[in-house]
């Protein structure tokens, strides 16, 4: 094993790794973690309140993903076009809360389960409908947010 070189050619010592980088990122990591836990808890509550029937179309996951994507559309319009937000708002709410709330990993597991149960038409419908509806929700929500903002400004 070799020791890392701390000296550069010409006898100039290399700069030590900065610890301030971690200190600067720690609040962001904490905001994402706190938001992610909040969003995941909200998704879990939705799944408990509206459980999917075995072998049925996973409506709860579908609605959670589409609703979360719609909120992302409005949120991004607000924080990028209306009012600048505190530097931790996007990591907390956008990445954390909405990232924890929307669940494309469960979408993949639900799709696999539908195929494994022999419900191929339902699995294909779910496989196609989820990303299509999610992308449409982002686009429509952002469009509507811009229209409302334009209407309020006039």
């Amino acid at each position: 094993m070799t020791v890392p070189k701390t000296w550069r050619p010409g006898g100039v010592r290399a700069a030590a790794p900065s610890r301030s980088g971690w200190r600067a990122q720690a609040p962001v990591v904490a905001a994402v973690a706190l938001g992610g836990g909040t969003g995941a808890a909200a998704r879990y509550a939705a799944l408990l309140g509206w459980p999917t029937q075995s072998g049925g179309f996973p409506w709860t996951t579908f609605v959670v993903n589409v609703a979360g994507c719609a909120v992302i559309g409005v949120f991004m319009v607000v924080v990028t076009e209306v009012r600048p937000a505190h530097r931790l708002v996007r990591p907390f709410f956008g990445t954390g809360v909405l990232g924890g709330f929307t669940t494309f990993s469960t979408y993949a597991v639900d799709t696999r389960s539908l195929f494994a149960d022999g419900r191929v038409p339902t699995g294909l419908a779910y496989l196609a409908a989820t990303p299509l509806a999610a992308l449409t929700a982002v686009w429509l929500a952002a469009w509507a947010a811009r229209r409302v903002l334009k209407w309020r400004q006039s």
Side-chain angles (χ1 to χ4, degrees):
M1 180 181 218
T2 61
V3 177
K5 294 182 181 181
T6 57
W7 294 93
R8 291 189 181 160
V12 178
R13 187 177 176 144
S18 172
R19 292 184 191 238
S20 64
W22 168 246
R23 287 187 193 141
Q25 292 303 314
V28 175
V29 172
V32 170
L34 184 62
T38 303
R43 173 178 27 93
Y44 184 66
L47 290 169
L48 288 177
W50 187 16
T52 299
Q53 300 296 327
S54 179
F57 191 89
W59 284 107
T60 308
T61 303
F62 181 81
V63 169
V64 161
N65 284 338
V66 172
C69 286
V71 174
I72 287 169
V74 172
F75 176 67
M76 290 309 295
V77 167
V78 170
V79 298
T80 61
E81 299 175 21
V82 176
R83 180 175 165 202
H86 185 275
R87 74 179 191 95
L88 296 178
V89 169
R90 284 172 73 169
F92 172 76
F93 190 73
T95 304
V97 173
L98 295 175
F101 183 65
T102 58
T103 173
F104 285 91
S105 58
T106 302
Y107 156 69
V109 170
D110 287 345
T111 302
R112 184 183 179 284
S113 295
L114 288 168
F115 287 134
D117 292 344
R119 303 196 34 109
V120 175
T122 304
L124 289 172
Y126 183 56
L127 184 66
T130 296
L132 183 64
L135 290 171
T136 302
V138 170
W139 183 82
L140 284 174
W143 175 81
R146 287 185 183 106
R147 296 271 304 186
V148 167
L149 292 169
K150 191 182 287 186
W151 173 75
R152 287 187 66 202
Q153 291 174 352
S154 49

